[in-house]
Structure formats: C-alpha cells, structure tokens
Amino acid sequence: MTDLPSADLPSEARVVIIGGGIVGASTAYHLGKMGYSDTILIERGKLTSGTTFHAAGLVGQLRSNANITQLLGYSVDLYKNLEKETEQATGWKMNGGLRLACTQERWTEVKRQATTAHSFGLDMQLLTPKEAQDLWPMMTIDDVVGAAFLPTDGQANPSDITLSLAKGARMNGVSIYEDTEVLDVEVEDGQVVAVMTSKGRIKCDKVVNCCGQWARQEAKKVGVNVPLVSVEHQFMITEKIEGITPDLPTLRDPDRLTYYKEDVGGLVMGGYEPNGIPWATKGFPEKFQFSLLDSNWDHFEQLVELSLGRVPALETAGVRELINGPESFTPDGNFILGEAPELKNYFVGAGFNAFGIASGGGAGMALAEWVVNGEPPYDLWPVDIRRFGRAHFDTDWVRKRTLEAYGKHYTMAWPFEEHSSGRPNRRSPLYDQLKSQGACFGEKLGWERPNWFAREGQEAKDIYTFNRQNWFENVGEEHKLTRENITVFDQSSFAKFKLVGPDSEKALTWICANDVAKKPGSLTYTQMLNDRGGIECDLTVVRISNDEFYIVTGTGYATHDFDWIKKNIPEGLNAQLIDVTSGYSVLSVMGPCARKVLQKITDDNISNESFPFGSMQTLGVAGAPVMALRVTYVGELGWELHIPTEFALNVYQALMAAGQEFSIGNAGYRAIESLRLEKGYRAWSSDIGPDHTPLEAGMAWACKLKKEIDFKGRKALELQKIDGVKKSLCCFTVDDPSIILLGRETIYRNGERVGWLTSAGFGFTVQKNIGYGYVRNQEGVDRTYLKSGSYELEVGTERVACDIHFTALYDPKMEKVKQ
Ligand SMILES: Cc1cc2nc3c(=O)[nH]c(=O)nc-3n(C[C@H](O)[C@H](O)[C@H](O)COP(=O)(O)OP(=O)(O)OC[C@H]3O[C@@H](n4cnc5c(N)ncnc54)[C@H](O)[C@@H]3O)c2cc1C
C-alpha cells in the first residue's frame, strides 16, 4: 500500500463515491449535473460487477409512501430520456406493469393500492381477469379475481442503464476509476478527510458509500452502522417461448410469490421464497466480481411449481439459466440513504432490496442533493439512515429480521401488521407484568410496546384482515376508560435526551420554533424546523435547571432527532447532548381521575394551582423520585411519569393499587392513536414532517413568531405568512361505519384530487372514522377556500362522502386537559 497518489489517480476531490453499481453511477451522474465535476467514483472491479449486472430489470413505481413513489417515478422519467442524452443504450421499455389478485382479501389490498396510486398521481387501472389476460395472453386466469395495471411501469437492462449513467457522469466531468479498491476512509475531528485506495490516497470533503451488499462492512471501518445483510435471490431465464412478445408488461403475481418479464422472446421468472437463504454470514469471498452463486434448483422448485399454475408454457420451455445472485436486504424492506449520524460528511446509498434498478435513478438524485445541500430534496424518512437505532447494531438480529422481511415481500401487507422475528428485544421493566395482564405487544425500534390488552380468556394476538380486526372492541374499551376514568400507558420506549451546559438555553432557543427559555420546571411543546420551515422534530422540552434541559420524543425518532439537535447546536456553544433513553421508564397516567389517583400515592400537592398544565415537578411516589410532566397526547387530564428505570415497577404497582376504586386499567398504543385523532394531535412522519410547515399543519400557535427571537426556519415561516400557504392539514370524518380508513385515501374537493390522508383511524368517543390530510391548491388555501368545497374520499377505489372539520372533534377548547 502506498500513500502517494498513483500516476492517474488525483490526490484530491470534493466527493469520492465508493462503488460502481447503478447507485454509485447514478449518484455520480447527478453530482456531475449539479456542477460537482470534481467527483471521483472508485470501483474495485469493473462498473456493474457487483450486484447490478445480474438484476432482472423490472422497474415498478408504487410504494406506500408518496415521496418514495415520486422518487421511483423520477427514475422512470430519467430512464426514458437517458439513451438520447448519452447515446448509450439502456434497454428501457415502458410496457406497463400488471399485478394480480387471486383472493378477495388480496383484491381489497390491490384496490387500496390503486387508490394509493391515485393519491400520488399515478394512473393505476383496475382490470377484470379477462382484460389482464388480453395484456398477458400466456397466463391462466382461473383463480384471478382482478388485476391492477400501471401503464408507466417498465423494464430496463441494468448494466446498460448503469453504463449510460456513468457515461452521463463523465460527460459532466466526473472521473471514474475501475480496478481500484478503497481500503480505508480517514477521519479527523469527527469528519471525513480522505480515502485510502489501492492506488493511493485521495484527500476529499465527502465520501459516499454505494457499496451495495458490502456497504455494511465498509461503513463499519469508520464506526457507521448500515443495517443490511446479503440474501440469495434467484430468477430463471427461459429460451424463446411462442407467444411471448416484446411488448409484454411486467407481471407480479404476489399470491404465487413470483414476478415475470419478457427477455429476448423468452421469460424471466423470479420470486421471493418464504425461507430465504442468507449469504456471506461469515464474510465475503475475495474478488466476488461478475460472480454468481451456484444455481439452487431445490430451493427454486417451490417457485417453479407456483409459476406453472400461472404460465403453463413454462412446463415445456427450455431453461437458459437459473441465475443465483446475492443482493442486500434490510430489516424493513426499504433502502438506506443519507448522511450517517455517526460521521460527518459520510453518506450512504445501499440496501436496495431487489429494487435498486427501479430506485437507482431517483436514489442517486436524492443522494447527490443530500451531499451538495446537506439535506434531501424532500422528506425521505422511510429510507433515511436515521430510522435505525440501537436494535440494528447486532448483525445476527438484523439478519433475522431481514429474512422475515424478505419472506414477506409478496405476502399480504395487512394493516397494523407487526414483525415476529427477533422479539422480544428491548423490554420495559413492566414487560412481564403487562404480558401477564394480557398485553398484545407491537414493536418499534426493537422496543416491545403494548398495543392493546386482551380480556381474560382472549388470546393476546392480532388477527389480520382489511375489516375491523379482533382488537377493535378492546381498544374501544381502553379508549372509553381513558375518557371516563383513568388508564396507564407504558411509554418507556420514548426517546429521551438531556442537553446540558451553560449555553443549552441559547442552543435550544435557536433550534426550537417555540420559546423554551422559561423558568426551571417549565415544559414546552415545540417543533424544530429546517430552513424551509419544514418540521424536522416534534417534541417536548422540559427545563430542569438553568443549564439542563430534558427532551422527550417518539420512540422511532431517537436517532433522527438526536442527530438533528446535535448538528444544529451553533458552533462555539457549550451544550452537550446525551441520550438517556434507557435511564427512564415512562408511565402516562391519563383520564379525569388521574389527579385523584396520583394524589393518593404522593405527599406533594398536585392540585391544578400547585401543578398547572405545561409544567414539571419531581414528586416522591412509592419510594421513587419521579419527574412528572403535566402534558397529554390523548386529550385528558394527566401526567407522564418519568421514572428512573429501577423504580418503575414499584410506581406501576402503587398506581394500580391506588386506582382500583376508580377502575383503573391498562391501555395501549392503538388506544392512544384513536384518542389523539379525536383531539387533533399531529403525528410526526405522517401528518407532519420536513415537507410541512407549522403554518400548513395548523400549528403556528406553537411557534414564537410574535416574539422578537430568531430561530431556525423563522425566515421561511415569515415569508409563508405573507405569501399564504398552498396546502392545509384538515380533519375529515366519514359517518358510514362500514367504511374503514387506514391512511393514503385520496381526498377530492369538488370532484378534483387535492391530496390524501396522512393518518386515519376510528374515534370511539365521536363514533366516526377520522382522517387527516392536506388539501392542496397552487393558488393558495385559506379557510374560505376550504369551507367552500364539497369533499369526498376515495377508499379502495370507491368514493365516499365525508365532512371537513377545522377544530378538534373532542374538547376543542382544551377544557378537559387544563382542569
Ligand atoms: C437476482 C436478482 C434480481 C434482481 N432483479 C431486480 C429487478 O428486477 N429490478 C430492480 O429494480 N432490482 C433488481 N435487483 C436488485 C438490483 O440488482 C440491486 O438492488 C442493485 O443492483 C444494487 O445496486 P448497488 O449499486 O447498490 O450495488 P452493486 O451493484 O453491488 O454495486 C456496489 C459496488 O461497490 C463495489 N465496492 C464494494 N466495496 C468496494 C471498495 N471497498 N472499493 C471499491 N469498490 C467497492 C462493488 O465492487 C460493487 O460493484 C435484483 C437483484 C438480484 C440479485
């Protein structure tokens, strides 16, 4: 190894991309387009020699998130024109994509997917089995209930697309070096300074790890966690088959776990076995370039059998090849993008779960923007590297969960579906206690969290369906008990941080949209905004003392919010952020009887006068020093009790004993959801996020705009106040009890599509289906505009009547909360 640059390798670059698969090439292409011509792409073999060369090349677009769908739509737009731009063939064909449904439940799922597509602006059409067969004559349709067709889906030649992107990158000044290996990344003062390659050292500002399945081991060298593992993935290529034409749409047959595409007059057929085989569990072989694994017919046979029922011609077709290639998969089936929270200027684009060709164009664009601007072009939370956390450190756990996700690729995506592998992992001290009382747990970021409680004799297990699920009545009872008496929620999984140091107030005053510079004991609900005024974090800040703040945020946002706060502490300020999540358990005691019960077990005075809403006091409860936060997310009088973990069980038992005379009960996260929907409390990552400002979300009341205090995002809000908003978060209700709202239903105003539901559920007090969603209008959206429209929702492709509301459906004046 030498630390001198080789003859042809530059010694300096602004950005070094590691990996010449489709993702690295696309990132290089977009950086070139953005004027970053001093970008270098380093590939240890030849371009495409990793996973890309052996992909099947289907390009589908629809995902369950609008922005990720938009990203894939961007790929299609790019691939359409790339060949013309670079004069390098791409094999792009826009023949459309078919998806079959063979059961009534699957048909419901497909219809709901079609509505999601409509919400996101895609023209997904529903077809009868015969209409589907007209598009794909070689298939049988005896068992087909219906199909969906997306005309803009397509297919490409993965290697050609990649080489075309690489050519486009070169045309914009990017340099590409093959047969060069990145051996190490040098870090100084917590940020990237250089890469060491097999041909010398390159000093650089930023590194982008696009190493595909090797990204985890590559990132580990610099302490960055990229939770992905390799899984074998196979597809078969046949000889020519009579009747297979080049204009055939791609075909997905999820009930038979398989997909198809035309390939030089024959078929490519692949799929997702329920028992996926992990690969490279003990490390990667040397020089795995343009390499495949041995065909595994024994394992693939299960898919062949399923496919013969769909395409009988396969029985007699000659098989050209059974490709077995490893691909990187992730625990939640989504790819991984963004700047690593562990290391400044180190970016990742990896883990493409067998849709890297479909996502490559858009992912490269987003990653390039992230590299150049320090943030993605729009909210990409479902693929953001910061969605992972402590649970994703252990590779064995990551593999277990990933194999489950792999096996579920084509199985029904049920509403409220939970994973089952690698559980339980993170447990609150009350776990056993709650389990013995019937808790049915869900999981978030590795934490077990009670979703609902089974009655005596009832099994604590979700039974999935698109109709009302088995827990519906239980949640209704928990909801009612919270509204009428008192319940306890175990919310120990909340992420909790402390910001300490003499400049903590100054730092938070800049980062928070609301005013946190209040006296010790004050509690502030606040957002943290980006420069566009978008909501990056939504949390509670408690002032403990002059130089100490306690910050509470949602379970899933632990890594993201920690990273956001840390990154935005202005330079030179003395304020240190510490994650104290494991140190505190949280019991939320909610309901009109909460004061009576809590007062029974503390000597401290908790009357409204002594302990008003929006404040914190440390109470002595059952032998424990308890930080009690007078706050609520369910719209009732109540306290969040933050308890040093080792005391939590005692406090819980004391509460339950004291609450007996008030019929105290346990309640879970599904009740919280129903309660908060009635109260109009927003949820980050669905109702609010980086693309939504507090003005659009109806949360301007939580911003210190009336005070002369500068804060991050203020300028954007002020401008928006003058210009007016172009979208507004509204509440909708549907009276028909047979309708089930799940989110993503399309909103129509006077017959025109104006948005979709960001979250939805059932409100047990108001006895209505409730949904929230943004109404959009380029000309501006104000109350008059909103009130003057008549609204409908599209649910599973059918329009239903709905009402619009502008205040919370339950206790709009907060009287119940502030009593
Ligand atoms: C059988 C199969 C079928 C598939 N079908 C489809 C499909 O139909 N549609 C679809 O969208 N996707 C499909 N995929 C998925 C798709 O192939 C991948 O998601 C995509 O190719 C991933 O691209 P990448 O750039 O992330 O990784 P790769 O192509 O693996 O590129 C990573 C590169 O990094 C290089 N590298 C690693 N470490 C270093 C280092 N230290 N220094 C220098 N270089 C390094 C490697 O050599 C490699 O070339 C399929 C995958 C398989 C296995």
Side-chain angles (χ1 to χ4, degrees):
M1 190 170 92
T2 165
D3 60 358
L4 292 173
S6 76
D8 62 345
L9 197 70
S11 60
E12 248 180 77
R14 191 133 54 137
V15 181
V16 173
I17 299 168
I18 319 173
I22 189 162
V23 180
S26 176
T27 308
Y29 171 89
H30 287 93
L31 281 171
K33 287 260 168 203
M34 293 175 81
Y36 267 47
S37 52
D38 45 357
T39 293
I40 295 181
L41 187 153
I42 305 276
E43 164 57 49
R44 70 173 159 211
K46 301 289 181 205
L47 291 175
T48 79
S49 65
T51 302
T52 297
F53 82 95
H54 57 68
L58 284 78
V59 176
Q61 297 167 87
L62 184 63
R63 308 290 294 175
S64 59
N65 174 278
N67 285 359
I68 307 304
T69 303
Q70 189 181 331
L71 206 74
L72 271 63
Y74 176 93
S75 294
V76 166
D77 290 339
L78 176 69
Y79 298 166
K80 259 195 280 192
N81 300 313
L82 195 61
E83 186 164 337
K84 209 156 96 201
E85 181 189 336
T86 62
E87 294 174 1
Q88 154 80 44
T90 58
W92 171 249
K93 280 201 297 189
M94 200 163 81
N95 292 348
L98 264 176
R99 178 175 281 260
L100 305 180
C102 298
T103 63
Q104 281 306 330
E105 293 276 29
R106 178 72 78 177
W107 185 225
T108 304
E109 182 194 61
V110 166
K111 284 194 287 186
R112 283 190 175 263
Q113 281 170 341
T115 285
T116 300
H118 301 160
S119 291
F120 303 163
L122 290 175
D123 174 30
M124 187 177 255
Q125 304 153 8
L126 292 185
L127 305 182
T128 63
K130 177 70 181 56
E131 287 167 334
Q133 198 183 35
D134 289 344
L135 289 173
W136 227 95
M138 301 295 286
M139 72 170 167
T140 61
I141 50 168
D142 320 355
D143 58 343
V144 177
V145 179
F149 181 60
L150 195 49
T152 49
D153 274 0
Q155 65 185 63
N157 180 321
S159 293
D160 287 347
I161 281 263
T162 306
L163 295 177
S164 192
L165 287 164
K167 189 169 176 199
R170 284 198 191 96
M171 283 160 65
N172 285 296
V174 173
S175 313
I176 297 178
Y177 293 87
E178 297 182 302
D179 302 313
T180 308
E181 183 165 8
V182 169
L183 304 171
D184 217 342
V185 172
E186 287 179 26
V187 175
E188 254 174 53
D189 292 334
Q191 57 183 308
V192 165
V193 291
V195 295
M196 180 61 78
T197 79
S198 53
K199 295 185 180 162
R201 180 178 187 268
I202 309 171
K203 185 170 169 290
C204 62
D205 298 338
K206 296 179 183 182
V207 163
V208 192
N209 174 344
C210 296
C211 292
Q213 61 186 333
W214 297 274
R216 183 167 176 76
Q217 69 167 27
E218 201 54 42
K220 200 171 176 195
K221 293 180 189 165
V222 284
V224 169
N225 188 26
V226 181
L228 56 79
V229 291
S230 303
V231 182
E232 295 187 14
H233 191 55
Q234 301 197 89
F235 64 80
M236 169 179 108
I237 313 175
T238 73
E239 304 286 358
K240 276 195 174 158
I241 300 176
E242 186 72 30
I244 296 294
T245 49
D247 57 350
L248 212 60
T250 58
L251 174 67
R252 291 176 180 80
D253 187 3
D255 292 309
R256 290 174 182 268
L257 308 178
T258 44
Y259 60 79
Y260 305 82
K261 94 167 206 203
E262 185 273 341
D263 189 85
V264 274
L267 279 179
V268 158
M269 187 280 285
Y272 294 83
E273 312 86 348
N275 53 342
I277 303 177
W279 184 67
T281 52
K282 301 269 181 284
F284 295 97
E286 285 278 304
K287 291 230 177 292
F288 193 81
Q289 287 150 15
F290 290 124
S291 303
L292 292 170
L293 307 175
D294 291 340
S295 306
N296 186 342
W297 278 108
D298 286 346
H299 198 246
F300 195 66
E301 202 177 306
Q302 51 187 318
L303 296 180
V304 174
E305 267 176 32
L306 287 167
S307 73
L308 290 179
R310 179 67 59 226
V311 188
L314 285 175
E315 190 110 40
T316 50
V319 175
R320 240 194 306 144
E321 214 179 344
L322 177 62
I323 300 267
N324 184 359
E327 155 75 330
S328 58
F329 288 84
T330 64
D332 61 2
N334 252 327
F335 51 91
I336 305 173
L337 225 55
E339 186 175 15
E342 299 95 338
L343 181 58
K344 198 165 177 224
N345 293 336
Y346 190 92
F347 294 80
V348 177
F352 278 83
N353 292 276
F355 66 106
I357 308 307
S359 348
M365 176 276 290
L367 198 49
E369 291 234 9
W370 216 320
V371 168
V372 172
N373 302 324
E375 59 180 6
Y378 38 77
D379 179 13
L380 292 176
W381 175 243
V383 299
D384 192 315
I385 191 167
R386 293 166 296 178
R387 72 190 187 274
F388 298 112
R390 289 181 180 171
H392 302 95
F393 189 79
D394 176 37
T395 306
D396 191 45
W397 192 89
V398 170
R399 186 172 295 116
K400 269 192 203 128
R401 177 57 55 84
T402 301
L403 285 173
E404 183 190 355
Y406 179 91
K408 284 182 170 169
H409 187 90
Y410 275 153
T411 60
M412 294 285 299
W414 296 109
F416 308 102
E417 191 176 358
E418 293 281 345
H419 287 108
S420 55
S421 57
R423 294 180 57 183
N425 190 355
R426 304 171 87 177
R427 277 177 271 189
S428 132
L430 303 182
Y431 177 82
D432 289 329
Q433 184 85 200
L434 298 183
K435 194 168 180 184
S436 71
Q437 295 181 54
C440 179
F441 292 92
E443 188 243 36
K444 194 154 237 178
L445 218 65
W447 280 97
E448 291 296 319
R449 313 190 312 169
N451 272 343
W452 58 278
F453 287 81
R455 297 182 202 109
E456 283 237 346
Q458 184 186 9
E459 196 185 355
K461 188 176 171 213
D462 289 333
I463 300 174
Y464 299 126
T465 147
F466 276 97
N467 297 318
R468 297 281 179 222
Q469 297 189 358
N470 63 317
W471 43 265
F472 187 70
E473 301 296 336
N474 301 67
V475 170
E477 282 164 21
E478 292 166 24
H479 176 121
K480 190 163 182 278
L481 195 60
T482 313
R483 288 269 182 261
E484 294 176 3
N485 293 34
I486 176 170
T487 53
V488 177
F489 300 88
D490 180 4
Q491 299 195 277
S492 300
S493 62
F494 270 151
K496 303 139 214 141
F497 317 133
K498 280 190 177 176
L499 188 71
V500 295
D503 296 327
S504 307
E505 180 190 302
K506 232 188 224 171
L508 285 178
T509 295
W510 168 245
I511 308 171
C512 296
N514 208 343
D515 190 6
V516 298
K518 301 176 190 149
K519 61 179 197 302
S522 308
L523 186 155
T524 310
Y525 168 61
T526 184
Q527 280 84 50
M528 295 175 171
L529 310 181
N530 56 38
D531 292 328
R532 291 173 282 127
I535 301 170
E536 291 284 348
C537 312
D538 175 67
L539 33 73
T540 304
V541 175
V542 182
R543 184 158 208 167
I544 305 281
S545 66
N546 279 345
D547 54 7
E548 181 175 343
F549 288 84
Y550 181 71
I551 300 169
V552 186
T553 187
T555 310
Y557 317 133
T559 309
H560 174 275
D561 288 8
F562 189 89
D563 181 62
W564 183 263
I565 298 169
K566 198 163 167 231
K567 271 197 187 123
N568 285 292
I569 296 173
E571 238 182 87
L573 291 192
N574 184 352
Q576 283 77 41
L577 190 65
I578 307 154
D579 187 325
V580 294
T581 301
S582 304
Y584 294 89
S585 294
V586 181
L587 296 178
S588 297
V589 193
M590 295 288 153
C593 303
R595 180 175 289 117
K596 288 184 196 136
V597 172
L598 190 56
Q599 191 65 84
K600 275 177 75 178
I601 54 172
T602 181
D603 290 337
D604 299 291
N605 181 353
I606 58 165
S607 66
N608 197 34
E609 296 68 40
S610 310
F611 197 156
F613 184 71
S615 65
M616 183 283 294
Q617 289 181 26
T618 301
L619 308 176
V621 180
V626 171
M627 254 200 295
L629 279 55
R630 179 112 188 257
V631 64
T632 181
Y633 192 56
V634 297
E636 297 298 336
L637 167 72
W639 282 265
E640 260 178 27
L641 305 179
H642 290 244
I643 311 156
T645 300
E646 68 275 25
F647 294 102
L649 196 52
N650 277 3
V651 173
Y652 174 75
Q653 286 167 342
L655 275 171
M656 293 318 251
Q660 255 191 0
E661 60 174 302
F662 303 95
S663 308
I664 195 168
N666 295 304
Y669 274 83
R670 298 217 174 117
I672 294 180
E673 184 62 9
S674 162
L675 292 156
R676 75 100 189 162
L677 283 169
E678 284 183 345
K679 194 72 188 87
Y681 291 134
R682 278 67 168 134
W684 195 84
S685 80
S686 52
D687 307 322
I688 53 175
D691 295 344
H692 313 300
T693 71
L695 298 178
E696 295 161 342
M699 303 173 91
W701 57 270
C703 299
K704 53 191 175 215
L705 283 171
K706 290 195 179 126
K707 299 181 181 170
E708 297 287 309
I709 307 168
D710 199 13
F711 61 91
K712 191 171 169 67
R714 179 175 185 128
K715 278 192 194 73
L717 292 193
E718 279 171 349
L719 274 177
Q720 198 175 45
K721 263 194 117 168
I722 297 165
D723 294 347
V725 297
K726 295 187 170 37
K727 61 177 190 275
S728 181
L729 188 67
C730 299
C731 172
F732 298 92
T733 54
V734 173
D735 290 338
D736 182 348
S738 70
I739 300 295
I740 295 176
L741 299 180
L742 296 169
R744 298 192 292 274
E745 291 81 0
T746 323
I747 306 168
Y748 288 88
R749 179 184 178 276
N750 298 342
E752 300 265 317
R753 181 172 61 86
V754 289
W756 61 90
L757 297 188
T758 49
S759 61
F762 189 76
F764 289 92
T765 303
V766 300
Q767 283 293 308
K768 283 180 204 292
N769 296 293
I770 307 171
Y772 283 83
Y774 288 88
V775 173
R776 294 166 161 81
N777 179 27
Q778 269 315 305
E779 311 303 312
V781 176
D782 59 14
R783 191 56 70 84
T784 318
Y785 173 84
L786 291 168
K787 278 188 169 166
S788 63
S790 92
Y791 295 88
E792 290 169 302
L793 296 176
E794 182 184 309
V795 184
T797 66
E798 281 174 23
R799 302 264 184 109
V800 299
C802 65
D803 296 313
I804 189 165
H805 306 266
F806 304 104
T807 53
L809 300 171
Y810 175 78
D811 189 24
K813 294 200 173 131
M814 297 281 286
E815 281 156 7
K816 295 265 171 58
V817 176
K818 293 187 172 169
Q819 63 201 342

